[in-house]
Structure formats: C-alpha cells, structure tokens
Amino acid sequence: MDRSRTYKKQQGAALVVAMVLLLLLTLMGTDSMRTSMLDMHLSKGFKDQNYAFQSAETGLRLAEKIIQNTDLQSELSAALASANISYVSSAISYHTEGGWGGISQVDVGHEFPTKVVVQEWRFVPDSLSVGEGRSTGLTYYRITARGTDPAYNKYVADGSSEDYKKARTVVVLQSIYVVRHAY
C-alpha cells in the first residue's frame, strides 16, 4: 500500500517539469530566431552601404578619368554630358531634397543608382603657354558622387521624395581634382 500512495503523489510532477522545460526551450528558440533576424538585417544594411559606397566611388573615378583625358576646357562639358554627368558652374545643396532632383543617373555598369556632379570650382592661371599660344592654368573641380542601394529607385518611384534622410542607404562622396587645361 505504501507503493501505490507514492505513485499517486508523483503522478503530475513529471508533467509539470516537462512543461516548464518545454517553455524554456521555446523561449530560447524564439530569442535565437530574433537574434538571427537582427543579424540578417544588420548584414543587409552593411552590404547595401558597401555597395552604395562602391557605386559612388565608381562615379567619382569616372568623372576624374573624363576630366583627365580632356585636353581643352571647351570640350569638357560635351565629354561629361556624353557620360550623363552633370556639369554645373554654381554650388548645389547636396543635403536638401531638391539638391539631387534634377541630376540624372550615370550608368556605371551595375544596378546601383549613381548620380555625379562636376563643378568648376576655381581656375588659377599661370605664365606657361601651350601650343598655339593658348593660355593655360590649373582648374580645380569639385566632383560629387552619390551612390544608393538598388531599392532606392523603387522608393522614389513609389512617390517618396528624394530626401535621403529616409531609411534608404545613400552615400555621398566628394573629391577635388586638379588638371592643367589650355583655353
């Protein structure tokens, strides 16, 4: 009779212990899934930022190459226009919604939208003459390139403004490039 009484006392304890263990395992699994999802979002953001940076860098180098390979200042605007690079004489606000609105995209060989602006920043004449008595000097150009993630075009096409403070990945790079041009 002692044996049956002990058996009856322990009848529900195993079920309660099993349910507590199952609850703990479920909580641990849910936490692991949440951590994994956060890691995926972080790595996607890092990847998009890296691609946007590379896109902007490619646009910057393309503009520098065009400037370097153009001998005359008068030919530069046509060379930049053929690559769809904007050539402006005045400064543009790169931190406002309208600053990038009128700038067209440059095809840099991949799906990441890139916009490039070249601004003639400063001209410093010198006493050298080149060829047919043309005056020369150093021309300083400010080159600004903006690379974005591939979803940015869809983001803008869906009616969102070009305000890059939104949750899209945008990288803006600038460089000052100096070249000697004949006028």
Side-chain angles (χ1 to χ4, degrees):
M1 186 154 299
D2 278 340
R3 200 171 188 178
S4 66
R5 225 176 15 193
T6 306
Y7 178 70
K8 287 181 182 180
K9 284 182 183 178
Q10 294 179 359
Q11 214 169 7
L15 179 61
V16 171
V17 169
M19 292 300 284
V20 168
L21 287 175
L22 186 60
L23 177 66
L24 289 175
L25 288 174
T26 303
L27 290 174
M28 287 174 45
T30 304
D31 187 51
S32 295
M33 280 185 1
R34 188 177 317 138
T35 302
S36 176
M37 292 296 288
L38 178 63
D39 288 347
M40 280 184 7
H41 286 299
L42 289 174
S43 66
K44 182 192 178 308
F46 179 73
K47 182 183 79 168
D48 284 348
Q49 183 180 11
N50 188 23
Y51 284 146
F53 177 83
Q54 290 177 14
S55 173
E57 181 77 14
T58 302
L60 208 63
R61 298 297 169 228
L62 176 65
E64 289 174 354
K65 183 178 177 183
I66 290 171
I67 292 170
Q68 181 182 16
N69 292 333
T70 306
D71 294 330
L72 297 174
Q73 174 70 21
S74 58
E75 299 170 353
L76 182 61
S77 60
L80 290 170
S82 69
N84 214 18
I85 295 175
S86 298
Y87 184 60
V88 297
S89 58
S90 60
I92 292 177
S93 175
Y94 301 107
H95 303 288
T96 63
E97 184 176 332
W100 290 100
I103 308 299
S104 30
Q105 289 186 14
V106 177
D107 181 19
V108 290
H110 48 71
E111 74 272 11
F112 297 95
T114 306
K115 294 185 177 187
V116 181
V117 176
V118 174
Q119 175 191 0
E120 186 175 337
W121 190 35
R122 180 179 298 151
F123 175 73
V124 179
D126 56 26
S127 61
L128 300 175
S129 62
V130 177
E132 304 158 357
R134 294 186 186 130
S135 62
T136 63
L138 297 175
T139 306
Y140 291 77
Y141 297 96
R142 179 183 302 183
I143 305 169
T144 307
R146 183 187 81 167
T148 60
D149 62 48
Y152 190 80
N153 278 348
K154 182 178 181 332
Y155 173 74
V156 173
D158 287 344
S160 301
S161 66
E162 284 223 25
D163 185 4
Y164 65 84
K165 295 175 186 171
K166 305 282 186 202
R168 300 280 10 126
T169 303
V170 177
V171 174
V172 177
L173 300 177
Q174 277 191 339
S175 72
I176 303 296
Y177 194 77
V178 182
V179 67
R180 181 176 305 281
H181 274 149
Y183 285 84

